[in-house]
Amino acid sequence: MSDLETRVNSMLNEEQWTRASLSSFTINNFSEFDELLEEIYGSELEQEVRELCQEQLEKNKNSIVALYISGLLTLKHQQLDDSGMIHLINIFVDNHKWNIVEFLCTKVLEYGENKYALRTLEEFYSNEGMEEKKFDVWERLIKVDYDEAPIVRQLAEKREEEGDREGAVDYYKKAIHRFIGKGQFSVVKDIWAKIVELGEQEYEFLFLIENRVSRVMDGEKAVQLLEDLYPSTFEKGEWDVSIEILKKILAYDPKNNLARNQIVECYRNKYQDHSQLDEYIRLSNLNQGWRNVIEAISDFEKHISFDSGSFVYHKTWGVGLIKSIKDDDIVIDFTKKRAHTMSLKMAVNALQSLTKEHIWVLKSIFPKDKLKAKIKKDHIWALKIIIKSFDNSADIKKIKSELVPAILTPGEWTGWSSNAREILKTDSAFGNDPDKMDHYVVRDKPMSLEERIYNSFRTEKNFFKRVNYMREFLEDCDPNSDYFNEIFQFFVGYLKTANVNYNVVCSYLLVTKTARKYPFLNPGLNWGFKELFSDIDEEKVVPLFLEIDDADLRREFLMRTRQEVEDWDRIYHSVFPFYQTKYIIEDLLGAGFKERVDKLFTDVVERYREYREAFLWVARTYAENEKWQVKSNIKYEKVLINLIHLLDLTYRDIANKKDATTNRKISRGIETYLFKEQRLENYIMEGDKDTVYRLFSLLHDVKDANPKMILDLQKKIEEKFPDFKIAAARDTRPIEAQAKSRNFFVTEAALMEKQKELKNIIEVEIPKNSKEIGKAIELGDLKENAEYKAGKEKQESLQIAVGRLQDEIERARVFNPEETDIKKVSFGTKVVLLNNDTEKEETFTIMGPWESDPSNQIISYISPFGAELFGHKKNKKLKFVINEQNYSYQIMSIEKAEI
């Protein structure tokens, strides 16, 4: 036992504190403990000291020394267990030693906010009449105890008494949320009145509260709140807000006659200068009790938007300006149809009313260059204009459709949209539409970053995206927030679920990791990861792990598994074939499981067909390491052989459309490893002829391997072994190598042209066709809609073209002109033939299917005619039949064609 352990043990054994002698205990008695703790912190004996304290507590659960030392060691490591210090505080509370209680609570709070310590201090300061200290503790307490509501209200009242209106409103807003959660409507109603009295245009917040009250309590109570708000907005002449309030009331209670009468009054005030106001009220029957009020409001608002000088939109004629309204006739100047007359009824049904600031109006009345300059210069103005144009809700796709290509080119959009996305994410003037996750709104009042992240979290449906929003909140905002509490409690809620799934596991990892950093968030779990893991069926561990779509949580899962699961090395072994990462191997090796790693790698190499990605990872990461080869008894040549077999297997699966995306990724990885990084070449060049025969004969059997890579390797082998008969290993004639292969030769220019064609279809033709389909849908009656049917047929044709081009581009292999072989008819050659039937010479250029142009004597080497010529040398006489026609030629000359 070290000297430090001896002193701690001696102090524990000499402790004689009893309940009777606690009265003589002072704060100074703890100074000796603190000095000892400083030594313990700087040593490597913390665990040994904690064990000594635990032994003492088993003998005497009220040991002051043991409780104090072990309690502070636990807090120092941000562990969730604060029971030792709480028990110690209670000992002195029971004995009314309040100065020591204050000392101990303050000591606990040095390591992070703690509800119990703050509550104890609050009680002490209240009893002692220490008001300033009490208020300071209150400020801290409400940030960590989200159930505390009365104290928040008292803090609001204190701010109000001090004349701090803004501070009072902030606290009242916190308080009202908490009292809603407690279901205390009478208090909610009182606080609502305070916010209405003190707040400046807090309407967005008040509507949020109204909505929450309707969900948590009922609609009748929400109506009461709205009825209390309405008089103040009416008195201020805020007609839009007043109308919004009355609409909400009528949505809850359509038979509310007072609200119905008032909304007519508000409309009269708002549209007092409208020439058709009375007529539109009459036509809509808005003031007639027999008419459904929601329908009447809708009719009135459709009509009222039509007045002289207003803009409208027709799907065929575009934007128009109403020139006059007389009786039932409206005269409109459309861009494509001047002085057009319509009946009011037809106009209401066929036209869409537009504000003067609508983006369609601006595009119709401003020169394109002027509007373009404004939009490029002022992103915020442009975003507000477009979003407000569509009922104050638009996503990035909608914004792009309004700007490209009408105002901005696709290239200009790329740079512009990058800045726009950043503005939408960070500028407080914008927020997320609570009903549409990807849509943005323009806010009347700036939104705090806290609220923005909270709203994004609330509308998000994907579990792991919600995890990222929580992380973003912790990174950029204060976790002592009601907004964060709701985010945090979402994950805590999963911990009450009986069935263990990835949501439960991830929530546990996230909640406990967060609580270690912020102890006041401790959810008070009486079980840990070990118990959680034991509830997962053994065969479901790997599938559950793979469902964790977050790298950090996967790492945390593995770390906790290692710490708390006895056979963690077996779990690591099971996971690795499906999730390759170096720290799995490093953890196993670091813990002395060398045999486990050896078996793991052996399994992966032997079962390479099943564990394809894992095998490629092992080959790339460890296979060339000679020490590893010795330890694992797996030769590098075996790894290369298996890679060649796997390359062939992936090609065949791609051809059969079996998990094509994954297999393409693997095949490209193998090609890079073997050929581009020259691993296969380097190994072959260092080997003997037997090695060359073994490996190259395997490549010969890989049907769809890139011929150019094979030929490059062949040349280097021939340079080293001039007498080596490659032909015996592989028939390299292009006709036989290519005609039976999915791949084919092309020129670089032809490939670029096809890529350009594909890009045009995806980025231009398909979006254009989608717009045409959208316009056709607007015409209605899809069964008899010729435009819609034509659009859908074209859509199918474009999709087929995309699939065909993508497949062809995937199979295309660029031919290197320097590799042209003029000893025989091959790709890139110009051939002169003597037609034995006509005794005339005919000249053909041999290219690929993309370059083929028979009218100009350019033929594809995989066409029937080209295939008969391919591979034959000068002076060769050929006779063949194509489509029942006889041909007889002699090859007169072969030269390199201009590519």
mmCIF file with all atom_site columns, all heavy atoms in Angstrom, residues 1-2 4-5 8-9 12 40 43-55 69 73:
data_model
loop_
_atom_site.group_PDB
_atom_site.id
_atom_site.type_symbol
_atom_site.label_atom_id
_atom_site.label_alt_id
_atom_site.label_comp_id
_atom_site.label_asym_id
_atom_site.label_entity_id
_atom_site.label_seq_id
_atom_site.pdbx_PDB_ins_code
_atom_site.Cartn_x
_atom_site.Cartn_y
_atom_site.Cartn_z
_atom_site.occupancy
_atom_site.B_iso_or_equiv
_atom_site.pdbx_formal_charge
_atom_site.auth_seq_id
_atom_site.auth_comp_id
_atom_site.auth_asym_id
_atom_site.auth_atom_id
_atom_site.pdbx_PDB_model_num
ATOM 1   N N   . MET A 1 1  ? 0.852   -1.197 0.000   1.00 0.00 ? 1  MET A N   1
ATOM 2   C CA  . MET A 1 1  ? 0.000   0.000  0.000   1.00 0.00 ? 1  MET A CA  1
ATOM 3   C C   . MET A 1 1  ? 0.884   1.242  0.000   1.00 0.00 ? 1  MET A C   1
ATOM 4   O O   . MET A 1 1  ? 1.833   1.339  0.771   1.00 0.00 ? 1  MET A O   1
ATOM 5   C CB  . MET A 1 1  ? -0.916  -0.016 1.239   1.00 0.00 ? 1  MET A CB  1
ATOM 6   C CG  . MET A 1 1  ? -1.919  1.135  1.287   1.00 0.00 ? 1  MET A CG  1
ATOM 7   S SD  . MET A 1 1  ? -3.021  1.049  2.720   1.00 0.00 ? 1  MET A SD  1
ATOM 8   C CE  . MET A 1 1  ? -4.025  -0.357 2.315   1.00 0.00 ? 1  MET A CE  1
ATOM 9   N N   . SER A 1 2  ? 0.574   2.207  -0.862  1.00 0.00 ? 2  SER A N   1
ATOM 10  C CA  . SER A 1 2  ? 1.369   3.423  -0.972  1.00 0.00 ? 2  SER A CA  1
ATOM 11  C C   . SER A 1 2  ? 1.165   4.312  0.255   1.00 0.00 ? 2  SER A C   1
ATOM 12  O O   . SER A 1 2  ? 0.241   4.107  1.066   1.00 0.00 ? 2  SER A O   1
ATOM 13  C CB  . SER A 1 2  ? 0.973   4.194  -2.233  1.00 0.00 ? 2  SER A CB  1
ATOM 14  O OG  . SER A 1 2  ? -0.351  4.676  -2.102  1.00 0.00 ? 2  SER A OG  1
ATOM 15  N N   . LEU A 1 4  ? 0.136   7.366  0.265   1.00 0.00 ? 4  LEU A N   1
ATOM 16  C CA  . LEU A 1 4  ? -1.137  8.081  0.145   1.00 0.00 ? 4  LEU A CA  1
ATOM 17  C C   . LEU A 1 4  ? -2.300  7.192  0.587   1.00 0.00 ? 4  LEU A C   1
ATOM 18  O O   . LEU A 1 4  ? -3.185  7.622  1.339   1.00 0.00 ? 4  LEU A O   1
ATOM 19  C CB  . LEU A 1 4  ? -1.338  8.527  -1.310  1.00 0.00 ? 4  LEU A CB  1
ATOM 20  C CG  . LEU A 1 4  ? -2.608  9.326  -1.612  1.00 0.00 ? 4  LEU A CG  1
ATOM 21  C CD1 . LEU A 1 4  ? -2.683  10.592 -0.768  1.00 0.00 ? 4  LEU A CD1 1
ATOM 22  C CD2 . LEU A 1 4  ? -2.676  9.683  -3.093  1.00 0.00 ? 4  LEU A CD2 1
ATOM 23  N N   . GLU A 1 5  ? -2.278  5.933  0.148   1.00 0.00 ? 5  GLU A N   1
ATOM 24  C CA  . GLU A 1 5  ? -3.336  5.011  0.552   1.00 0.00 ? 5  GLU A CA  1
ATOM 25  C C   . GLU A 1 5  ? -3.303  4.792  2.065   1.00 0.00 ? 5  GLU A C   1
ATOM 26  O O   . GLU A 1 5  ? -4.366  4.696  2.711   1.00 0.00 ? 5  GLU A O   1
ATOM 27  C CB  . GLU A 1 5  ? -3.166  3.676  -0.164  1.00 0.00 ? 5  GLU A CB  1
ATOM 28  C CG  . GLU A 1 5  ? -3.437  3.725  -1.661  1.00 0.00 ? 5  GLU A CG  1
ATOM 29  C CD  . GLU A 1 5  ? -3.111  2.404  -2.341  1.00 0.00 ? 5  GLU A CD  1
ATOM 30  O OE1 . GLU A 1 5  ? -4.010  1.547  -2.414  1.00 0.00 ? 5  GLU A OE1 1
ATOM 31  O OE2 . GLU A 1 5  ? -1.954  2.253  -2.765  1.00 0.00 ? 5  GLU A OE2 1
ATOM 32  N N   . VAL A 1 8  ? -4.930  7.774  3.786   1.00 0.00 ? 8  VAL A N   1
ATOM 33  C CA  . VAL A 1 8  ? -6.397  7.753  3.634   1.00 0.00 ? 8  VAL A CA  1
ATOM 34  C C   . VAL A 1 8  ? -6.995  6.683  4.537   1.00 0.00 ? 8  VAL A C   1
ATOM 35  O O   . VAL A 1 8  ? -7.992  6.915  5.234   1.00 0.00 ? 8  VAL A O   1
ATOM 36  C CB  . VAL A 1 8  ? -6.781  7.479  2.162   1.00 0.00 ? 8  VAL A CB  1
ATOM 37  C CG1 . VAL A 1 8  ? -8.291  7.252  2.035   1.00 0.00 ? 8  VAL A CG1 1
ATOM 38  C CG2 . VAL A 1 8  ? -6.354  8.625  1.271   1.00 0.00 ? 8  VAL A CG2 1
ATOM 39  N N   . ASN A 1 9  ? -6.388  5.520  4.537   1.00 0.00 ? 9  ASN A N   1
ATOM 40  C CA  . ASN A 1 9  ? -6.885  4.410  5.362   1.00 0.00 ? 9  ASN A CA  1
ATOM 41  C C   . ASN A 1 9  ? -6.850  4.759  6.840   1.00 0.00 ? 9  ASN A C   1
ATOM 42  O O   . ASN A 1 9  ? -7.777  4.460  7.606   1.00 0.00 ? 9  ASN A O   1
ATOM 43  C CB  . ASN A 1 9  ? -6.049  3.157  5.079   1.00 0.00 ? 9  ASN A CB  1
ATOM 44  C CG  . ASN A 1 9  ? -6.694  1.905  5.630   1.00 0.00 ? 9  ASN A CG  1
ATOM 45  O OD1 . ASN A 1 9  ? -7.888  1.695  5.437   1.00 0.00 ? 9  ASN A OD1 1
ATOM 46  N ND2 . ASN A 1 9  ? -5.919  1.094  6.322   1.00 0.00 ? 9  ASN A ND2 1
ATOM 47  N N   . LEU A 1 12 ? -9.643  7.171  7.644   1.00 0.00 ? 12 LEU A N   1
ATOM 48  C CA  . LEU A 1 12 ? -10.930 6.479  7.691   1.00 0.00 ? 12 LEU A CA  1
ATOM 49  C C   . LEU A 1 12 ? -11.089 5.688  8.988   1.00 0.00 ? 12 LEU A C   1
ATOM 50  O O   . LEU A 1 12 ? -12.160 5.685  9.612   1.00 0.00 ? 12 LEU A O   1
ATOM 51  C CB  . LEU A 1 12 ? -11.064 5.536  6.487   1.00 0.00 ? 12 LEU A CB  1
ATOM 52  C CG  . LEU A 1 12 ? -11.219 6.195  5.114   1.00 0.00 ? 12 LEU A CG  1
ATOM 53  C CD1 . LEU A 1 12 ? -11.066 5.166  4.006   1.00 0.00 ? 12 LEU A CD1 1
ATOM 54  C CD2 . LEU A 1 12 ? -12.569 6.894  4.996   1.00 0.00 ? 12 LEU A CD2 1
ATOM 55  N N   . ILE A 1 40 ? -4.665  13.188 -4.195  1.00 0.00 ? 40 ILE A N   1
ATOM 56  C CA  . ILE A 1 40 ? -5.288  12.047 -4.874  1.00 0.00 ? 40 ILE A CA  1
ATOM 57  C C   . ILE A 1 40 ? -5.512  12.363 -6.349  1.00 0.00 ? 40 ILE A C   1
ATOM 58  O O   . ILE A 1 40 ? -5.257  11.522 -7.225  1.00 0.00 ? 40 ILE A O   1
ATOM 59  C CB  . ILE A 1 40 ? -6.629  11.679 -4.194  1.00 0.00 ? 40 ILE A CB  1
ATOM 60  C CG1 . ILE A 1 40 ? -6.372  11.203 -2.764  1.00 0.00 ? 40 ILE A CG1 1
ATOM 61  C CG2 . ILE A 1 40 ? -7.366  10.607 -4.986  1.00 0.00 ? 40 ILE A CG2 1
ATOM 62  C CD1 . ILE A 1 40 ? -7.632  11.046 -1.937  1.00 0.00 ? 40 ILE A CD1 1
ATOM 63  N N   . SER A 1 43 ? -2.465  11.855 -8.459  1.00 0.00 ? 43 SER A N   1
ATOM 64  C CA  . SER A 1 43 ? -1.841  10.535 -8.438  1.00 0.00 ? 43 SER A CA  1
ATOM 65  C C   . SER A 1 43 ? -2.563  9.599  -9.402  1.00 0.00 ? 43 SER A C   1
ATOM 66  O O   . SER A 1 43 ? -3.502  9.981  -10.088 1.00 0.00 ? 43 SER A O   1
ATOM 67  C CB  . SER A 1 43 ? -1.916  9.950  -7.020  1.00 0.00 ? 43 SER A CB  1
ATOM 68  O OG  . SER A 1 43 ? -3.256  9.589  -6.718  1.00 0.00 ? 43 SER A OG  1
ATOM 69  N N   . GLU A 1 44 ? -2.112  8.357  -9.437  1.00 0.00 ? 44 GLU A N   1
ATOM 70  C CA  . GLU A 1 44 ? -2.777  7.330  -10.237 1.00 0.00 ? 44 GLU A CA  1
ATOM 71  C C   . GLU A 1 44 ? -3.494  6.332  -9.335  1.00 0.00 ? 44 GLU A C   1
ATOM 72  O O   . GLU A 1 44 ? -3.685  5.167  -9.688  1.00 0.00 ? 44 GLU A O   1
ATOM 73  C CB  . GLU A 1 44 ? -1.753  6.609  -11.114 1.00 0.00 ? 44 GLU A CB  1
ATOM 74  C CG  . GLU A 1 44 ? -1.078  7.518  -12.129 1.00 0.00 ? 44 GLU A CG  1
ATOM 75  C CD  . GLU A 1 44 ? -0.076  6.773  -12.989 1.00 0.00 ? 44 GLU A CD  1
ATOM 76  O OE1 . GLU A 1 44 ? 0.156   5.567  -12.699 1.00 0.00 ? 44 GLU A OE1 1
ATOM 77  O OE2 . GLU A 1 44 ? 0.459   7.362  -13.942 1.00 0.00 ? 44 GLU A OE2 1
ATOM 78  N N   . LEU A 1 45 ? -3.880  6.816  -8.145  1.00 0.00 ? 45 LEU A N   1
ATOM 79  C CA  . LEU A 1 45 ? -4.449  5.908  -7.135  1.00 0.00 ? 45 LEU A CA  1
ATOM 80  C C   . LEU A 1 45 ? -5.914  6.205  -6.839  1.00 0.00 ? 45 LEU A C   1
ATOM 81  O O   . LEU A 1 45 ? -6.438  5.795  -5.809  1.00 0.00 ? 45 LEU A O   1
ATOM 82  C CB  . LEU A 1 45 ? -3.632  6.027  -5.842  1.00 0.00 ? 45 LEU A CB  1
ATOM 83  C CG  . LEU A 1 45 ? -2.144  5.668  -5.943  1.00 0.00 ? 45 LEU A CG  1
ATOM 84  C CD1 . LEU A 1 45 ? -1.419  6.026  -4.657  1.00 0.00 ? 45 LEU A CD1 1
ATOM 85  C CD2 . LEU A 1 45 ? -1.999  4.173  -6.232  1.00 0.00 ? 45 LEU A CD2 1
ATOM 86  N N   . GLU A 1 46 ? -6.580  6.915  -7.746  1.00 0.00 ? 46 GLU A N   1
ATOM 87  C CA  . GLU A 1 46 ? -7.974  7.293  -7.482  1.00 0.00 ? 46 GLU A CA  1
ATOM 88  C C   . GLU A 1 46 ? -8.853  6.069  -7.265  1.00 0.00 ? 46 GLU A C   1
ATOM 89  O O   . GLU A 1 46 ? -9.694  6.040  -6.365  1.00 0.00 ? 46 GLU A O   1
ATOM 90  C CB  . GLU A 1 46 ? -8.526  8.145  -8.625  1.00 0.00 ? 46 GLU A CB  1
ATOM 91  C CG  . GLU A 1 46 ? -7.920  9.533  -8.692  1.00 0.00 ? 46 GLU A CG  1
ATOM 92  C CD  . GLU A 1 46 ? -8.618  10.415 -9.720  1.00 0.00 ? 46 GLU A CD  1
ATOM 93  O OE1 . GLU A 1 46 ? -9.751  10.087 -10.108 1.00 0.00 ? 46 GLU A OE1 1
ATOM 94  O OE2 . GLU A 1 46 ? -8.029  11.426 -10.124 1.00 0.00 ? 46 GLU A OE2 1
ATOM 95  N N   . GLN A 1 47 ? -8.679  5.042  -8.098  1.00 0.00 ? 47 GLN A N   1
ATOM 96  C CA  . GLN A 1 47 ? -9.519  3.856  -7.983  1.00 0.00 ? 47 GLN A CA  1
ATOM 97  C C   . GLN A 1 47 ? -9.272  3.139  -6.670  1.00 0.00 ? 47 GLN A C   1
ATOM 98  O O   . GLN A 1 47 ? -10.216 2.676  -6.004  1.00 0.00 ? 47 GLN A O   1
ATOM 99  C CB  . GLN A 1 47 ? -9.258  2.907  -9.161  1.00 0.00 ? 47 GLN A CB  1
ATOM 100 C CG  . GLN A 1 47 ? -10.159 1.675  -9.205  1.00 0.00 ? 47 GLN A CG  1
ATOM 101 C CD  . GLN A 1 47 ? -11.628 2.022  -9.258  1.00 0.00 ? 47 GLN A CD  1
ATOM 102 O OE1 . GLN A 1 47 ? -12.026 2.990  -9.891  1.00 0.00 ? 47 GLN A OE1 1
ATOM 103 N NE2 . GLN A 1 47 ? -12.451 1.247  -8.560  1.00 0.00 ? 47 GLN A NE2 1
ATOM 104 N N   . GLU A 1 48 ? -8.011  3.061  -6.250  1.00 0.00 ? 48 GLU A N   1
ATOM 105 C CA  . GLU A 1 48 ? -7.684  2.392  -4.986  1.00 0.00 ? 48 GLU A CA  1
ATOM 106 C C   . GLU A 1 48 ? -8.297  3.145  -3.802  1.00 0.00 ? 48 GLU A C   1
ATOM 107 O O   . GLU A 1 48 ? -8.829  2.523  -2.865  1.00 0.00 ? 48 GLU A O   1
ATOM 108 C CB  . GLU A 1 48 ? -6.159  2.304  -4.806  1.00 0.00 ? 48 GLU A CB  1
ATOM 109 C CG  . GLU A 1 48 ? -5.466  1.298  -5.719  1.00 0.00 ? 48 GLU A CG  1
ATOM 110 C CD  . GLU A 1 48 ? -5.276  1.810  -7.133  1.00 0.00 ? 48 GLU A CD  1
ATOM 111 O OE1 . GLU A 1 48 ? -5.695  2.956  -7.429  1.00 0.00 ? 48 GLU A OE1 1
ATOM 112 O OE2 . GLU A 1 48 ? -4.717  1.070  -7.965  1.00 0.00 ? 48 GLU A OE2 1
ATOM 113 N N   . VAL A 1 49 ? -8.246  4.493  -3.866  1.00 0.00 ? 49 VAL A N   1
ATOM 114 C CA  . VAL A 1 49 ? -8.821  5.299  -2.787  1.00 0.00 ? 49 VAL A CA  1
ATOM 115 C C   . VAL A 1 49 ? -10.335 5.114  -2.738  1.00 0.00 ? 49 VAL A C   1
ATOM 116 O O   . VAL A 1 49 ? -10.931 4.993  -1.653  1.00 0.00 ? 49 VAL A O   1
ATOM 117 C CB  . VAL A 1 49 ? -8.461  6.787  -2.970  1.00 0.00 ? 49 VAL A CB  1
ATOM 118 C CG1 . VAL A 1 49 ? -9.239  7.662  -1.994  1.00 0.00 ? 49 VAL A CG1 1
ATOM 119 C CG2 . VAL A 1 49 ? -6.961  7.001  -2.785  1.00 0.00 ? 49 VAL A CG2 1
ATOM 120 N N   . ARG A 1 50 ? -10.961 5.051  -3.885  1.00 0.00 ? 50 ARG A N   1
ATOM 121 C CA  . ARG A 1 50 ? -12.421 4.856  -3.919  1.00 0.00 ? 50 ARG A CA  1
ATOM 122 C C   . ARG A 1 50 ? -12.799 3.505  -3.334  1.00 0.00 ? 50 ARG A C   1
ATOM 123 O O   . ARG A 1 50 ? -13.816 3.369  -2.649  1.00 0.00 ? 50 ARG A O   1
ATOM 124 C CB  . ARG A 1 50 ? -12.935 4.976  -5.358  1.00 0.00 ? 50 ARG A CB  1
ATOM 125 C CG  . ARG A 1 50 ? -12.831 6.388  -5.893  1.00 0.00 ? 50 ARG A CG  1
ATOM 126 C CD  . ARG A 1 50 ? -13.182 6.480  -7.352  1.00 0.00 ? 50 ARG A CD  1
ATOM 127 N NE  . ARG A 1 50 ? -14.622 6.354  -7.572  1.00 0.00 ? 50 ARG A NE  1
ATOM 128 C CZ  . ARG A 1 50 ? -15.203 6.560  -8.755  1.00 0.00 ? 50 ARG A CZ  1
ATOM 129 N NH1 . ARG A 1 50 ? -14.460 6.886  -9.798  1.00 0.00 ? 50 ARG A NH1 1
ATOM 130 N NH2 . ARG A 1 50 ? -16.499 6.446  -8.886  1.00 0.00 ? 50 ARG A NH2 1
ATOM 131 N N   . GLU A 1 51 ? -11.980 2.493  -3.588  1.00 0.00 ? 51 GLU A N   1
ATOM 132 C CA  . GLU A 1 51 ? -12.251 1.173  -3.027  1.00 0.00 ? 51 GLU A CA  1
ATOM 133 C C   . GLU A 1 51 ? -12.123 1.189  -1.506  1.00 0.00 ? 51 GLU A C   1
ATOM 134 O O   . GLU A 1 51 ? -12.916 0.553  -0.796  1.00 0.00 ? 51 GLU A O   1
ATOM 135 C CB  . GLU A 1 51 ? -11.304 0.144  -3.634  1.00 0.00 ? 51 GLU A CB  1
ATOM 136 C CG  . GLU A 1 51 ? -11.615 -0.147 -5.112  1.00 0.00 ? 51 GLU A CG  1
ATOM 137 C CD  . GLU A 1 51 ? -10.592 -1.046 -5.761  1.00 0.00 ? 51 GLU A CD  1
ATOM 138 O OE1 . GLU A 1 51 ? -9.633  -1.448 -5.058  1.00 0.00 ? 51 GLU A OE1 1
ATOM 139 O OE2 . GLU A 1 51 ? -10.728 -1.343 -6.974  1.00 0.00 ? 51 GLU A OE2 1
ATOM 140 N N   . LEU A 1 52 ? -11.119 1.932  -0.980  1.00 0.00 ? 52 LEU A N   1
ATOM 141 C CA  . LEU A 1 52 ? -10.979 2.056  0.480   1.00 0.00 ? 52 LEU A CA  1
ATOM 142 C C   . LEU A 1 52 ? -12.211 2.734  1.081   1.00 0.00 ? 52 LEU A C   1
ATOM 143 O O   . LEU A 1 52 ? -12.722 2.312  2.133   1.00 0.00 ? 52 LEU A O   1
ATOM 144 C CB  . LEU A 1 52 ? -9.717  2.867  0.817   1.00 0.00 ? 52 LEU A CB  1
ATOM 145 C CG  . LEU A 1 52 ? -8.366  2.183  0.568   1.00 0.00 ? 52 LEU A CG  1
ATOM 146 C CD1 . LEU A 1 52 ? -7.229  3.180  0.792   1.00 0.00 ? 52 LEU A CD1 1
ATOM 147 C CD2 . LEU A 1 52 ? -8.202  0.986  1.497   1.00 0.00 ? 52 LEU A CD2 1
ATOM 148 N N   . CYS A 1 53 ? -12.684 3.782  0.425   1.00 0.00 ? 53 CYS A N   1
ATOM 149 C CA  . CYS A 1 53 ? -13.877 4.489  0.913   1.00 0.00 ? 53 CYS A CA  1
ATOM 150 C C   . CYS A 1 53 ? -15.107 3.584  0.874   1.00 0.00 ? 53 CYS A C   1
ATOM 151 O O   . CYS A 1 53 ? -15.943 3.612  1.786   1.00 0.00 ? 53 CYS A O   1
ATOM 152 C CB  . CYS A 1 53 ? -14.129 5.741  0.074   1.00 0.00 ? 53 CYS A CB  1
ATOM 153 S SG  . CYS A 1 53 ? -12.887 7.044  0.289   1.00 0.00 ? 53 CYS A SG  1
ATOM 154 N N   . GLN A 1 54 ? -15.221 2.785  -0.184  1.00 0.00 ? 54 GLN A N   1
ATOM 155 C CA  . GLN A 1 54 ? -16.362 1.880  -0.298  1.00 0.00 ? 54 GLN A CA  1
ATOM 156 C C   . GLN A 1 54 ? -16.354 0.849  0.827   1.00 0.00 ? 54 GLN A C   1
ATOM 157 O O   . GLN A 1 54 ? -17.401 0.516  1.408   1.00 0.00 ? 54 GLN A O   1
ATOM 158 C CB  . GLN A 1 54 ? -16.344 1.187  -1.667  1.00 0.00 ? 54 GLN A CB  1
ATOM 159 C CG  . GLN A 1 54 ? -17.582 0.352  -1.969  1.00 0.00 ? 54 GLN A CG  1
ATOM 160 C CD  . GLN A 1 54 ? -18.855 1.166  -1.922  1.00 0.00 ? 54 GLN A CD  1
ATOM 161 O OE1 . GLN A 1 54 ? -18.904 2.299  -2.395  1.00 0.00 ? 54 GLN A OE1 1
ATOM 162 N NE2 . GLN A 1 54 ? -19.904 0.591  -1.340  1.00 0.00 ? 54 GLN A NE2 1
ATOM 163 N N   . GLU A 1 55 ? -15.173 0.330  1.142   1.00 0.00 ? 55 GLU A N   1
ATOM 164 C CA  . GLU A 1 55 ? -15.063 -0.627 2.253   1.00 0.00 ? 55 GLU A CA  1
ATOM 165 C C   . GLU A 1 55 ? -15.505 0.013  3.570   1.00 0.00 ? 55 GLU A C   1
ATOM 166 O O   . GLU A 1 55 ? -16.193 -0.606 4.385   1.00 0.00 ? 55 GLU A O   1
ATOM 167 C CB  . GLU A 1 55 ? -13.619 -1.113 2.370   1.00 0.00 ? 55 GLU A CB  1
ATOM 168 C CG  . GLU A 1 55 ? -13.171 -2.010 1.220   1.00 0.00 ? 55 GLU A CG  1
ATOM 169 C CD  . GLU A 1 55 ? -11.704 -2.371 1.324   1.00 0.00 ? 55 GLU A CD  1
ATOM 170 O OE1 . GLU A 1 55 ? -11.081 -2.054 2.379   1.00 0.00 ? 55 GLU A OE1 1
ATOM 171 O OE2 . GLU A 1 55 ? -11.172 -2.951 0.359   1.00 0.00 ? 55 GLU A OE2 1
ATOM 172 N N   . ILE A 1 69 ? -14.866 12.141 0.286   1.00 0.00 ? 69 ILE A N   1
ATOM 173 C CA  . ILE A 1 69 ? -13.791 11.834 -0.671  1.00 0.00 ? 69 ILE A CA  1
ATOM 174 C C   . ILE A 1 69 ? -14.336 11.071 -1.872  1.00 0.00 ? 69 ILE A C   1
ATOM 175 O O   . ILE A 1 69 ? -14.092 11.444 -3.030  1.00 0.00 ? 69 ILE A O   1
ATOM 176 C CB  . ILE A 1 69 ? -12.661 11.043 0.018   1.00 0.00 ? 69 ILE A CB  1
ATOM 177 C CG1 . ILE A 1 69 ? -11.941 11.942 1.034   1.00 0.00 ? 69 ILE A CG1 1
ATOM 178 C CG2 . ILE A 1 69 ? -11.672 10.509 -1.010  1.00 0.00 ? 69 ILE A CG2 1
ATOM 179 C CD1 . ILE A 1 69 ? -10.865 11.236 1.832   1.00 0.00 ? 69 ILE A CD1 1
ATOM 180 N N   . LEU A 1 73 ? -14.698 12.479 -5.809  1.00 0.00 ? 73 LEU A N   1
ATOM 181 C CA  . LEU A 1 73 ? -14.009 11.748 -6.876  1.00 0.00 ? 73 LEU A CA  1
ATOM 182 C C   . LEU A 1 73 ? -14.989 11.350 -7.979  1.00 0.00 ? 73 LEU A C   1
ATOM 183 O O   . LEU A 1 73 ? -14.662 11.412 -9.168  1.00 0.00 ? 73 LEU A O   1
ATOM 184 C CB  . LEU A 1 73 ? -13.338 10.490 -6.300  1.00 0.00 ? 73 LEU A CB  1
ATOM 185 C CG  . LEU A 1 73 ? -12.047 10.711 -5.496  1.00 0.00 ? 73 LEU A CG  1
ATOM 186 C CD1 . LEU A 1 73 ? -11.594 9.409  -4.855  1.00 0.00 ? 73 LEU A CD1 1
ATOM 187 C CD2 . LEU A 1 73 ? -10.943 11.271 -6.384  1.00 0.00 ? 73 LEU A CD2 1
#
